[in-house]
Amino acid sequence: MTEEVNSPSPSRRSVIGWGGVGLALGAAAAGGTAVVLTRSTDEDAPETAASGGAAVPFHGPHQAGIATAVPDRLHFAAFDVTTKDRAELVQLLKDWTAAAARLTAGHAVGEGAYGGQPEAPPDDTGEALGLKPSRLTLTIGFGPSLFDGRFGLKDKRPAALVDLPKFPGDNLDAARSGGDLCVQACADDPQVAVHAIRNLARIGFGKVAVRWSQLGFGKTSSTTPDAQTPRNLFGFKDGTRNIAGTDDASLDKHVWASEKDGAAWMAGGSYLVARRIRMNIETWDRTSLQEQEDVFGRDKGEGAAVGKSKEHDEPLLKAMLPTSHVRLAHPDSNSGARMLRRGYSFTDGTDGLGRLDAGLFFLAYQRDARDAFIPVQRNLARSDALNEYIQHVGSAHFAVPPGVRDKDDWWGRALFS
Ligand code: HEM
């Protein structure tokens, strides 16, 4: 990476930044002396050197963060829209898009974190100064509640963006569920992911409020099957049979929404189901190896299906117990249903009873959850042996629009146009 990492935005040089506008207007409104704030010029602005690092292209037909390689860290945030003004929401989405393009390229937001007017808060909060782009991806989604009529979007709600049904065993916490908007930030460096969400939330101050957020580590599925399969907190390889980011035929069939699916603005997008799944790791850790392997239908070391010797050998479903997770989740048990999983492990302190509040933050992208997550989860909720060790405690469903094509495009343009 270059010293551009924290450089100010060329398009906004010598222009008042977000903070500056607020301060100038605030001072004027309060009857005080309005300070005319100008930002530093390029020459004045201190730039921080950073080394080269992987940046994932932000522009394209699909949003990054779905089929792109899964970095190891996550900060996911769901937002409530607090403004009632459609134009203000549209402006926010434009501002977020501009910021996201900069952040994912490894730049600071707006005019940067320092070197600007001392009277104004800096545009960027600064904690990612000097850090690499770290394969940061930022992916936006729109929840069912955004289409409730506040913003004139009722007719635009895709039929596929259903309210998820209640599944047996669900113990959902409303405070960790739903949301008008979501942003998924994935990066190799947790500070880069957190910085991105924090700065988007900051830009959205007064228009959106964070409803809930989730930090994740240790991806539990990947889109790169050639790489070593990651393991979940139960110690099993997870993501062995996932949709690969290079498998265009499967992505088109199972992940990308098409114009033919009903909502034209979603063509090239996808539907994201997020579930916070608590894993009772203390109970699991006292369970025999045989029972653990029976629960999944795969062995713990190699990850091979029952009766097979290699991880990627085709599973023989009939050889597994009828209650095994892999048998029940497999496409052959669900009329061919498939989804792209890219979840993360989490540990969020304790539950107050001496146990870790740990689990899997399950994220799955699909063309239509009515043909993928919903039937598979129905099957699992009914019979999965894993249910003894897990509990779904948070849930959300989002329409994830197609990618931002170029610098004139913005998140949600097709929806709001
Ligand atoms: C804490 C909860 C869960 C854990 C620990 C878990 C773990 C695993 C493991 C170890 C595998 C085998 C390796 C692999 O192919 O990835 C697997 C497979 C799979 N899981 Fe889960 N899983 C969980 C929840 C879910 C949920 C909620 C769904 C969807 C509703 C799901 C869908 C699948 C699918 C589709 C497969 C691949 C089946 C195949 O094609 O062979 N899992 N899971």
Side-chain angles (χ1 to χ4, degrees):
M1 196 114 104
T2 67
E3 62 260 84
E4 283 185 299
V5 164
N6 299 296
S7 65
S9 156
S11 60
R12 308 189 72 225
R13 280 172 202 146
S14 307
V15 180
I16 298 171
W18 289 296
V21 171
L23 193 75
L25 294 180
T33 314
V35 189
V36 179
L37 297 172
T38 53
R39 284 293 180 182
S40 331
T41 62
D42 215 11
E43 289 72 42
D44 302 326
E47 292 181 348
T48 313
S51 61
V56 179
F58 178 70
H59 297 111
H62 310 293
Q63 289 195 69
I66 303 173
T68 49
V70 189
D72 217 36
R73 301 300 183 123
L74 170 85
H75 192 189
F76 189 99
F79 296 87
D80 289 328
V81 179
T82 50
T83 179
K84 293 187 173 58
D85 184 343
R86 177 182 161 119
E88 213 171 38
L89 173 58
V90 166
Q91 189 55 50
L92 171 67
L93 292 170
K94 290 179 180 173
D95 291 345
W96 269 8
T97 309
R102 290 188 57 75
L103 287 163
T104 51
H107 302 293
V109 168
E111 303 292 317
Y114 58 97
Q117 287 296 319
E119 298 85 355
D123 284 350
D124 188 284
T125 54
E127 71 273 26
L129 289 179
L131 301 179
K132 297 178 183 181
S134 309
R135 292 193 296 170
L136 172 69
T137 56
L138 292 167
T139 315
I140 198 167
F142 304 129
S145 51
L146 190 71
F147 300 84
D148 61 5
R150 279 173 295 165
F151 306 106
L153 297 173
K154 244 183 182 163
D155 299 342
K156 294 272 190 100
R157 178 171 174 174
L161 188 61
V162 292
D163 296 317
L164 293 177
K166 183 166 169 35
F167 299 97
D170 276 1
N171 185 18
L172 303 183
D173 176 356
R176 289 189 195 269
S177 300
D180 293 330
L181 304 172
C182 75
V183 180
Q184 170 197 276
C186 300
D188 288 317
D189 185 326
Q191 185 134 330
V192 168
V194 169
H195 169 260
I197 293 292
R198 174 181 174 191
N199 279 270
L200 295 182
R202 181 175 181 277
I203 293 168
F205 184 73
K207 291 159 228 156
V208 291
V210 177
R211 179 180 173 84
W212 54 270
S213 91
Q214 182 67 56
L215 287 173
F217 65 92
K219 61 181 177 236
T220 58
S221 287
S222 76
T223 52
T224 43
D226 295 343
Q228 190 182 347
T229 309
R231 288 179 185 268
N232 58 36
L233 290 183
F234 284 161
F236 277 71
K237 289 185 182 173
D238 203 337
T240 301
R241 281 178 50 94
N242 200 18
I243 297 178
T246 47
D247 183 353
D248 289 335
S250 297
L251 290 168
D252 284 341
K253 187 169 177 198
H254 298 288
V255 178
W256 306 131
S258 142
E259 203 156 338
K260 287 181 241 142
D261 297 341
W265 67 269
M266 272 296 288
S270 190
Y271 292 88
L272 168 64
V273 172
R275 306 279 285 186
R276 187 176 192 272
I277 308 176
R278 175 89 192 274
M279 290 160 70
N280 302 323
I281 55 175
E282 291 81 3
T283 314
W284 181 261
D285 294 347
R286 292 196 298 270
T287 301
S288 72
L289 177 62
Q290 185 62 56
E291 159 79 0
Q292 292 186 3
E293 294 187 336
D294 285 347
V295 163
F296 286 111
R298 287 185 177 274
D299 84 284
K300 198 163 187 175
E302 167 68 17
V306 176
K308 303 286 175 159
S309 57
K310 291 277 175 251
E311 181 191 353
H312 291 285
D313 288 349
E314 197 56 36
L316 181 59
L317 299 188
K318 283 195 183 130
M320 300 173 184
L321 294 177
T323 54
S324 75
H325 180 73
V326 166
R327 179 168 176 170
L328 290 164
H330 193 278
D332 290 355
S333 307
N334 297 282
S335 316
R338 293 190 73 194
M339 63 196 98
L340 186 154
R341 290 172 287 146
R342 52 179 294 148
Y344 287 82
S345 295
F346 68 83
T347 58
D348 290 339
T350 86
D351 64 357
L353 299 170
R355 299 176 301 203
L356 284 174
D357 178 3
L360 167 66
F361 188 61
F362 177 90
L363 295 169
Y365 287 90
Q366 58 240 284
R367 186 169 173 176
D368 189 330
R370 293 171 298 178
D371 304 325
F373 176 81
I374 294 175
V376 175
Q377 179 54 22
R378 277 215 174 96
N379 214 9
L380 294 176
R382 199 182 306 124
S383 316
D384 194 353
L386 192 56
N387 293 338
E388 200 178 324
Y389 305 96
I390 64 171
Q391 189 166 57
H392 289 236
V393 294
S395 176
H397 191 194
F398 299 98
V400 175
V404 174
R405 284 174 313 190
D406 52 40
K407 64 177 182 37
D408 298 321
D409 196 8
W410 44 278
W411 272 336
R413 181 188 47 77
L415 170 62
F416 286 90
S417 298

PDB file of all heavy atoms in Angstrom, residues 292-308:
ATOM      1  N   GLN A 292     -19.920 -36.689  19.049  1.00  0.00           N
ATOM      2  CA  GLN A 292     -19.640 -35.477  18.273  1.00  0.00           C
ATOM      3  C   GLN A 292     -19.625 -35.789  16.770  1.00  0.00           C
ATOM      4  O   GLN A 292     -20.209 -35.058  15.957  1.00  0.00           O
ATOM      5  CB  GLN A 292     -18.280 -34.883  18.677  1.00  0.00           C
ATOM      6  CG  GLN A 292     -18.243 -34.320  20.089  1.00  0.00           C
ATOM      7  CD  GLN A 292     -16.931 -33.600  20.405  1.00  0.00           C
ATOM      8  OE1 GLN A 292     -16.059 -33.460  19.558  1.00  0.00           O
ATOM      9  NE2 GLN A 292     -16.802 -33.147  21.633  1.00  0.00           N
ATOM     10  N   GLU A 293     -18.955 -36.902  16.422  1.00  0.00           N
ATOM     11  CA  GLU A 293     -18.853 -37.234  14.992  1.00  0.00           C
ATOM     12  C   GLU A 293     -20.209 -37.672  14.444  1.00  0.00           C
ATOM     13  O   GLU A 293     -20.564 -37.359  13.310  1.00  0.00           O
ATOM     14  CB  GLU A 293     -17.782 -38.311  14.789  1.00  0.00           C
ATOM     15  CG  GLU A 293     -16.385 -37.781  15.134  1.00  0.00           C
ATOM     16  CD  GLU A 293     -15.253 -38.745  14.806  1.00  0.00           C
ATOM     17  OE1 GLU A 293     -15.509 -39.972  14.739  1.00  0.00           O
ATOM     18  OE2 GLU A 293     -14.102 -38.277  14.630  1.00  0.00           O
ATOM     19  N   ASP A 294     -20.992 -38.359  15.269  1.00  0.00           N
ATOM     20  CA  ASP A 294     -22.333 -38.771  14.831  1.00  0.00           C
ATOM     21  C   ASP A 294     -23.218 -37.552  14.572  1.00  0.00           C
ATOM     22  O   ASP A 294     -24.051 -37.560  13.671  1.00  0.00           O
ATOM     23  CB  ASP A 294     -23.005 -39.642  15.904  1.00  0.00           C
ATOM     24  CG  ASP A 294     -22.425 -41.046  15.949  1.00  0.00           C
ATOM     25  OD1 ASP A 294     -21.687 -41.402  15.002  1.00  0.00           O
ATOM     26  OD2 ASP A 294     -22.692 -41.774  16.938  1.00  0.00           O
ATOM     27  N   VAL A 295     -23.056 -36.527  15.409  1.00  0.00           N
ATOM     28  CA  VAL A 295     -23.886 -35.330  15.264  1.00  0.00           C
ATOM     29  C   VAL A 295     -23.700 -34.727  13.867  1.00  0.00           C
ATOM     30  O   VAL A 295     -24.667 -34.345  13.210  1.00  0.00           O
ATOM     31  CB  VAL A 295     -23.535 -34.286  16.355  1.00  0.00           C
ATOM     32  CG1 VAL A 295     -24.068 -32.915  15.979  1.00  0.00           C
ATOM     33  CG2 VAL A 295     -24.102 -34.717  17.703  1.00  0.00           C
ATOM     34  N   PHE A 296     -22.473 -34.641  13.431  1.00  0.00           N
ATOM     35  CA  PHE A 296     -22.243 -34.037  12.112  1.00  0.00           C
ATOM     36  C   PHE A 296     -22.320 -35.039  10.965  1.00  0.00           C
ATOM     37  O   PHE A 296     -22.701 -34.683   9.854  1.00  0.00           O
ATOM     38  CB  PHE A 296     -20.882 -33.326  12.083  1.00  0.00           C
ATOM     39  CG  PHE A 296     -20.896 -32.032  12.859  1.00  0.00           C
ATOM     40  CD1 PHE A 296     -20.184 -31.898  14.035  1.00  0.00           C
ATOM     41  CD2 PHE A 296     -21.659 -30.961  12.412  1.00  0.00           C
ATOM     42  CE1 PHE A 296     -20.220 -30.716  14.755  1.00  0.00           C
ATOM     43  CE2 PHE A 296     -21.697 -29.769  13.138  1.00  0.00           C
ATOM     44  CZ  PHE A 296     -20.972 -29.645  14.308  1.00  0.00           C
ATOM     45  N   GLY A 297     -21.902 -36.305  11.226  1.00  0.00           N
ATOM     46  CA  GLY A 297     -21.823 -37.271  10.129  1.00  0.00           C
ATOM     47  C   GLY A 297     -20.496 -37.163   9.409  1.00  0.00           C
ATOM     48  O   GLY A 297     -20.337 -37.624   8.280  1.00  0.00           O
ATOM     49  N   ARG A 298     -19.545 -36.534  10.060  1.00  0.00           N
ATOM     50  CA  ARG A 298     -18.177 -36.426   9.535  1.00  0.00           C
ATOM     51  C   ARG A 298     -17.204 -36.679  10.676  1.00  0.00           C
ATOM     52  O   ARG A 298     -17.541 -36.462  11.838  1.00  0.00           O
ATOM     53  CB  ARG A 298     -17.921 -35.026   8.948  1.00  0.00           C
ATOM     54  CG  ARG A 298     -18.636 -34.780   7.622  1.00  0.00           C
ATOM     55  CD  ARG A 298     -18.236 -33.422   7.038  1.00  0.00           C
ATOM     56  NE  ARG A 298     -18.832 -33.179   5.734  1.00  0.00           N
ATOM     57  CZ  ARG A 298     -18.303 -33.578   4.582  1.00  0.00           C
ATOM     58  NH1 ARG A 298     -17.155 -34.240   4.560  1.00  0.00           N
ATOM     59  NH2 ARG A 298     -18.910 -33.311   3.433  1.00  0.00           N
ATOM     60  N   ASP A 299     -15.972 -37.110  10.347  1.00  0.00           N
ATOM     61  CA  ASP A 299     -15.007 -37.342  11.417  1.00  0.00           C
ATOM     62  C   ASP A 299     -14.290 -36.044  11.763  1.00  0.00           C
ATOM     63  O   ASP A 299     -14.223 -35.116  10.956  1.00  0.00           O
ATOM     64  CB  ASP A 299     -14.032 -38.472  11.054  1.00  0.00           C
ATOM     65  CG  ASP A 299     -12.877 -37.978  10.215  1.00  0.00           C
ATOM     66  OD1 ASP A 299     -13.106 -37.734   9.011  1.00  0.00           O
ATOM     67  OD2 ASP A 299     -11.763 -37.803  10.757  1.00  0.00           O
ATOM     68  N   LYS A 300     -13.780 -35.989  12.997  1.00  0.00           N
ATOM     69  CA  LYS A 300     -13.269 -34.721  13.502  1.00  0.00           C
ATOM     70  C   LYS A 300     -11.903 -34.357  12.912  1.00  0.00           C
ATOM     71  O   LYS A 300     -11.628 -33.182  12.673  1.00  0.00           O
ATOM     72  CB  LYS A 300     -13.165 -34.775  15.041  1.00  0.00           C
ATOM     73  CG  LYS A 300     -13.065 -33.382  15.661  1.00  0.00           C
ATOM     74  CD  LYS A 300     -13.381 -33.389  17.146  1.00  0.00           C
ATOM     75  CE  LYS A 300     -13.444 -31.974  17.699  1.00  0.00           C
ATOM     76  NZ  LYS A 300     -13.864 -31.917  19.092  1.00  0.00           N
ATOM     77  N   GLY A 301     -11.071 -35.360  12.664  1.00  0.00           N
ATOM     78  CA  GLY A 301      -9.722 -35.050  12.171  1.00  0.00           C
ATOM     79  C   GLY A 301      -9.716 -34.609  10.726  1.00  0.00           C
ATOM     80  O   GLY A 301      -9.458 -33.445  10.400  1.00  0.00           O
ATOM     81  N   GLU A 302     -10.051 -35.540   9.842  1.00  0.00           N
ATOM     82  CA  GLU A 302      -9.980 -35.268   8.404  1.00  0.00           C
ATOM     83  C   GLU A 302     -11.197 -34.482   7.904  1.00  0.00           C
ATOM     84  O   GLU A 302     -11.111 -33.697   6.975  1.00  0.00           O
ATOM     85  CB  GLU A 302      -9.864 -36.622   7.664  1.00  0.00           C
ATOM     86  CG  GLU A 302     -10.072 -36.587   6.163  1.00  0.00           C
ATOM     87  CD  GLU A 302      -8.963 -35.844   5.425  1.00  0.00           C
ATOM     88  OE1 GLU A 302      -7.886 -35.644   6.013  1.00  0.00           O
ATOM     89  OE2 GLU A 302      -9.205 -35.435   4.260  1.00  0.00           O
ATOM     90  N   GLY A 303     -12.339 -34.707   8.546  1.00  0.00           N
ATOM     91  CA  GLY A 303     -13.571 -34.070   8.066  1.00  0.00           C
ATOM     92  C   GLY A 303     -14.265 -34.900   6.998  1.00  0.00           C
ATOM     93  O   GLY A 303     -15.128 -34.393   6.270  1.00  0.00           O
ATOM     94  N   ALA A 304     -13.869 -36.185   6.913  1.00  0.00           N
ATOM     95  CA  ALA A 304     -14.478 -37.055   5.897  1.00  0.00           C
ATOM     96  C   ALA A 304     -15.866 -37.494   6.344  1.00  0.00           C
ATOM     97  O   ALA A 304     -16.120 -37.686   7.530  1.00  0.00           O
ATOM     98  CB  ALA A 304     -13.599 -38.279   5.686  1.00  0.00           C
ATOM     99  N   ALA A 305     -16.753 -37.669   5.368  1.00  0.00           N
ATOM    100  CA  ALA A 305     -18.108 -38.144   5.670  1.00  0.00           C
ATOM    101  C   ALA A 305     -18.029 -39.602   6.132  1.00  0.00           C
ATOM    102  O   ALA A 305     -17.081 -40.319   5.794  1.00  0.00           O
ATOM    103  CB  ALA A 305     -18.982 -38.020   4.430  1.00  0.00           C
ATOM    104  N   VAL A 306     -19.036 -40.032   6.885  1.00  0.00           N
ATOM    105  CA  VAL A 306     -19.071 -41.398   7.416  1.00  0.00           C
ATOM    106  C   VAL A 306     -18.759 -42.413   6.315  1.00  0.00           C
ATOM    107  O   VAL A 306     -19.347 -42.352   5.232  1.00  0.00           O
ATOM    108  CB  VAL A 306     -20.470 -41.726   7.996  1.00  0.00           C
ATOM    109  CG1 VAL A 306     -20.558 -43.175   8.466  1.00  0.00           C
ATOM    110  CG2 VAL A 306     -20.812 -40.779   9.127  1.00  0.00           C
ATOM    111  N   GLY A 307     -17.824 -43.314   6.584  1.00  0.00           N
ATOM    112  CA  GLY A 307     -17.484 -44.368   5.637  1.00  0.00           C
ATOM    113  C   GLY A 307     -16.520 -43.914   4.547  1.00  0.00           C
ATOM    114  O   GLY A 307     -16.118 -44.707   3.693  1.00  0.00           O
ATOM    115  N   LYS A 308     -16.156 -42.660   4.537  1.00  0.00           N
ATOM    116  CA  LYS A 308     -15.225 -42.145   3.518  1.00  0.00           C
ATOM    117  C   LYS A 308     -13.900 -41.810   4.192  1.00  0.00           C
ATOM    118  O   LYS A 308     -13.830 -41.683   5.421  1.00  0.00           O
ATOM    119  CB  LYS A 308     -15.797 -40.879   2.859  1.00  0.00           C
ATOM    120  CG  LYS A 308     -17.158 -41.090   2.219  1.00  0.00           C
ATOM    121  CD  LYS A 308     -17.013 -41.875   0.930  1.00  0.00           C
ATOM    122  CE  LYS A 308     -18.369 -42.207   0.340  1.00  0.00           C
ATOM    123  NZ  LYS A 308     -18.319 -42.512  -1.076  1.00  0.00           N
TER     124      LYS A 308
END
